[in-house]
């Protein structure tokens, strides 16, 4: 199956790349429809920034931001995920029309998340996570990042399945940029078959700091997140060639085109490792 495009819709004032651009209901709905038109199979709606250093918000405020957007986009037939660490928001979003819960904490931030997802019966993205945004950079300490991410995600899968979440509903995300500032990210992309444990994989590299560092090492200007789109597309191409379930991106059209190119390469005989 071809890699899916998950388009990012931040209904927030403070996200690192596009905070404030879609932070009204009407603007967010229009952007969600645009993402679908550009090639997003899934629109991922988030109401709380998880950029480095971001503070937390209450579930009620998060729901005020995202639920009207989800309800309206669902009525337009858009496939939706909710980007949240709050079980209450996950439930409200699914009841409003979302079909996937995308939790950057893998259930660690809210003890009720696993049982809530089990009750909802929806797909669940469990991301590798060690700490909230204000502390996560300090947790970038690994002897073997691939093995440690595998082990920590395995613990999350065990907890989720024990709570009643069906194993085939679980998607794994290595948490690029979360407790991984620069170099820790690359082995997780290069060797994702070693940590994915047979689960579907979501890769979220879009415009992140480690891409900016790579651009700078080659003499480019990676300081501005908007300058990282070509690098994002390069990662998308690799992920599509390797068979990732989905990529989470800001620019859905660029990702769609990269996946189309990867598909042609595969048809022509390219073999993933």
């Amino acid at each position: 199956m071809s890699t899916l495009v998950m388009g990012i819709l931040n209904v927030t004032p403070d996200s690192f790349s596009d905070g404030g651009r879609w932070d009204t209901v009407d603007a967010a709905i229009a952007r969600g429809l645009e993402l679908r038109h550009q090639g997003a199979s899934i629109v991922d709606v988030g109401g709380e920034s998880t950029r480095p250093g971001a503070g937390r918000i209450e579930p009620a405020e998060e729901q005020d931001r995202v639920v009207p957007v989800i309800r309206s986009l669902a009525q337009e037939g858009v496939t939706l995920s909710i980007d949240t660490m709050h079980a209450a928001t996950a439930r409200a979003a699914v009841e409003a029309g979302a079909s996937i819960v995308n939790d950057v904490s893998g259930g660690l931030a809210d003890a009720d998340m696993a049982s809530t997802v089990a009750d909802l019966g929806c797909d669940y993205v469990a991301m590798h996570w060690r700490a909230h945004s204000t502390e996560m950079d300090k947790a970038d300490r690994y002897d073997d990042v691939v093995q440690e991410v595998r082990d920590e995600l395995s613990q999350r899968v065990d907890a989720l399945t024990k709570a009643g979440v069906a194993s085939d509903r679980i998607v794994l995300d290595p948490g690029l940029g979360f407790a991984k500032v620069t170099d820790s990210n690359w082995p997780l992309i290069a060797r994702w078959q070693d940590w994915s444990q047979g689960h579907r994989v979501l890769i979220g590299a879009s415009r992140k700091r480690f891409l900016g560092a790579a651009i700078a090492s080659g003499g480019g200007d990676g300081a501005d997140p908007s300058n990282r789109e070509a690098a994002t597309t390069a990662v998308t191409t690799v992920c599509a060639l390797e068979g990732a379930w989905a990529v989470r991106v800001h620019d859905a059209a660029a990702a769609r085109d990269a996946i189309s190119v990867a598909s042609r390469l595969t048809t022509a005989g390219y073999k993933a490792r």
Side-chain angles (χ1 to χ4, degrees):
M1 185 177 70
S2 179
T3 297
L4 302 176
V5 176
M6 177 183 280
I8 298 167
L9 179 53
N10 289 319
V11 192
T12 59
D14 55 345
S15 291
F16 81 94
S17 179
D18 56 1
R21 295 191 66 187
W22 328 110
D23 65 347
T24 68
V25 171
D26 288 345
I29 292 168
R31 177 57 177 164
L33 294 173
E34 181 181 33
L35 284 166
R36 179 176 66 173
H37 177 73
Q38 290 176 345
S41 299
I42 305 161
V43 173
D44 188 43
V45 183
E48 179 179 13
S49 175
T50 53
R51 63 174 174 78
R56 303 299 312 280
I57 64 171
E58 292 298 318
E61 181 178 0
E62 182 184 37
Q63 290 164 38
D64 286 345
R65 292 176 180 180
V66 301
V67 169
V69 176
I70 288 170
R71 185 176 292 115
S72 294
L73 288 174
Q75 291 171 354
E76 296 291 335
V78 178
T79 300
L80 298 157
S81 58
I82 174 64
D83 176 5
T84 185
M85 292 182 277
H86 295 291
T89 301
R91 181 176 293 280
V94 171
E95 290 174 351
S99 56
I100 302 167
V101 174
N102 179 18
D103 179 1
V104 300
S105 80
L108 290 169
D110 188 331
D112 293 330
M113 183 63 87
S115 60
T116 297
V117 171
D119 183 55
L120 292 170
C122 60
D123 281 3
Y124 178 73
V125 180
M127 196 190 82
H128 177 262
W129 185 86
R130 285 184 165 181
H132 285 292
S133 297
T134 53
E135 301 294 325
M136 66 182 181
D137 285 356
K138 299 175 185 176
D140 183 9
R141 299 186 301 273
Y142 303 91
D143 293 321
D144 182 336
V145 66
V146 173
Q147 186 61 51
E148 290 173 54
V149 167
R150 175 187 170 86
D151 291 347
E152 290 169 35
L153 283 175
S154 181
Q155 292 170 12
R156 301 316 308 144
V157 170
D158 287 347
L160 289 161
T161 55
K162 286 177 182 176
V165 180
S167 180
D168 63 358
R169 290 285 195 181
I170 299 171
V171 179
L172 297 184
D173 179 335
L176 302 179
F178 289 78
K180 305 164 195 77
V181 178
T182 53
D183 292 344
S184 298
N185 296 279
W186 297 106
L188 296 168
I189 299 171
R191 297 171 50 201
W192 66 262
Q193 302 284 3
D194 293 342
W195 55 258
S196 60
Q197 309 168 62
H199 287 275
R200 291 173 290 165
V201 166
L202 172 67
I203 299 291
S206 190
R207 300 180 183 173
K208 289 187 175 177
R209 292 176 294 171
F210 75 99
L211 296 181
I215 293 166
S217 71
D221 178 9
D224 185 336
S226 65
N227 291 339
R228 305 169 189 167
E229 195 55 53
T232 299
T233 304
V235 174
T236 293
T237 305
V238 171
C239 292
L241 288 170
E242 293 293 322
W245 170 70
V247 289
R248 183 177 181 273
V249 297
H250 294 86
D251 188 333
R256 175 201 62 202
D257 293 350
I259 292 166
S260 295
V261 169
S263 178
R264 291 300 183 95
L265 285 169
T266 301
T267 300
Y270 177 90
K271 300 293 185 183
R273 294 187 307 275

